[in-house]
Amino acid sequence: MKNTTLLLFFLFVGALTFGQNDRQLLRGKVLYRGGNVPNENVINSTAETATITNEDGEFVIAVKEGDQLVFTAVNYQLEVVTISPEILYNNRLVVEVTEKVTQLEGVVVTPENQEKFLEVKNEDFKEFEYEIDRSSEVENIAESRAVRGMQDGINFVNIFKALFKSKGEQGETRQPLKVSEVLRQVYDDEFFVVDLKLPQDKIDAFLLYCDDKVPSQTLLRKENEFQLIDFLVTHSKTYLAELNAE
């Protein structure tokens, strides 16, 4: 009887452990106009894990069906991919990102040359059968600029957590994140221009300005976002004052 009880206990623990670790490693690549995109953040917002692409634009991350992968970088539009059974079966994913473009009056932005992209893709990846995701672009727009959460189906709370974690998917220690690395992935330009009154071409310079002034890395945690907003408002005023004095 005692042995039976122990056996049932171990079976239960084993089943529970399996249920928590049923994700598989997914290989992928991020491209822009047929070229590799290094240092792109690849965030599993469902599992709250993250990695970055290497110099060849490649990444590996644990996923399961239904997980949302968020692809973010300073110079590219945010892209979201929901893991489907087909992606899991192929165990390969190619994501084509688009460049962030400031919309100006009288300027028409034409679509990417998809035919040329496919030619380059087929030449570069003829060994594999990658699936290309062209999911709709999701605009990341700060709401009341202090309250974030589930928006357009994307869990920004989990993105904050994944970006803040100090260890990567393989357990390697990461360098502490900086304001300039995090906030461009979470807030759109509207937040900086409308709420902080910054010139659009000075956003990156302002974030670099803030890097050395952050009192603690914990300020970048989601639960401290009110303090983070206050920090940005205060330093945007001093930054603009210094900018005007030059």
Side-chain angles (χ1 to χ4, degrees), residues 191-243:
F191 167 67
F192 298 101
V193 175
V194 175
D195 290 84
L196 301 186
K197 312 301 181 186
L198 293 166
Q200 190 167 30
D201 61 349
K202 298 296 183 182
I203 296 174
D204 291 334
F206 168 67
L207 292 177
L208 291 172
Y209 169 84
C210 291
D211 279 344
D212 297 329
K213 296 175 172 56
V214 177
S216 169
Q217 287 293 307
T218 59
L219 194 64
L220 298 179
R221 291 188 183 277
K222 177 62 185 177
E223 60 267 24
N224 294 330
E225 191 170 8
F226 285 104
Q227 294 94 314
L228 175 61
I229 295 291
D230 183 65
F231 168 84
L232 292 173
V233 169
T234 300
H235 284 82
S236 66
K237 293 177 180 178
T238 59
Y239 175 77
L240 288 172
E242 293 180 13
L243 199 64

Side-chain angles (χ1 to χ4, degrees), residues 73-88:
V74 172
N75 297 322
Y76 301 100
Q77 298 283 3
L78 181 146
E79 300 287 343
V80 181
V81 176
T82 300
I83 301 301
S84 66
E86 291 76 18
I87 292 174
L88 289 175

Side-chain angles (χ1 to χ4, degrees), residues 41-50 68-72 78-80 140 148-151 153-165 174 177 181-182 184-187 220-222:
N41 290 299
V42 182
I43 301 167
N44 186 330
S45 64
T46 307
E48 300 178 16
T49 58
Q68 278 194 333
L69 292 187
V70 180
F71 296 82
T72 71
L78 181 146
E79 300 287 343
V80 181
N140 178 10
R148 299 303 291 275
M150 291 300 296
Q151 176 180 316
I154 305 172
N155 193 329
F156 282 97
V157 174
N158 287 351
I159 291 177
F160 252 105
K161 290 179 180 178
L163 282 170
F164 186 83
K165 285 183 178 179
R174 292 178 182 169
L177 290 172
E181 295 173 323
V182 176
R184 270 299 213 172
Q185 319 303 329
V186 179
Y187 298 121
L220 298 179
R221 291 188 183 277
K222 177 62 185 177

Side-chain angles (χ1 to χ4, degrees), residues 131-168:
E131 174 178 337
I132 300 173
D133 182 271
R134 295 188 176 87
S135 56
S136 301
E137 172 188 341
V138 180
E139 294 185 9
N140 178 10
I141 300 175
E143 294 187 333
S144 62
R145 310 315 191 257
V147 179
R148 299 303 291 275
M150 291 300 296
Q151 176 180 316
D152 297 327
I154 305 172
N155 193 329
F156 282 97
V157 174
N158 287 351
I159 291 177
F160 252 105
K161 290 179 180 178
L163 282 170
F164 186 83
K165 285 183 178 179
S166 60
K167 289 186 179 294

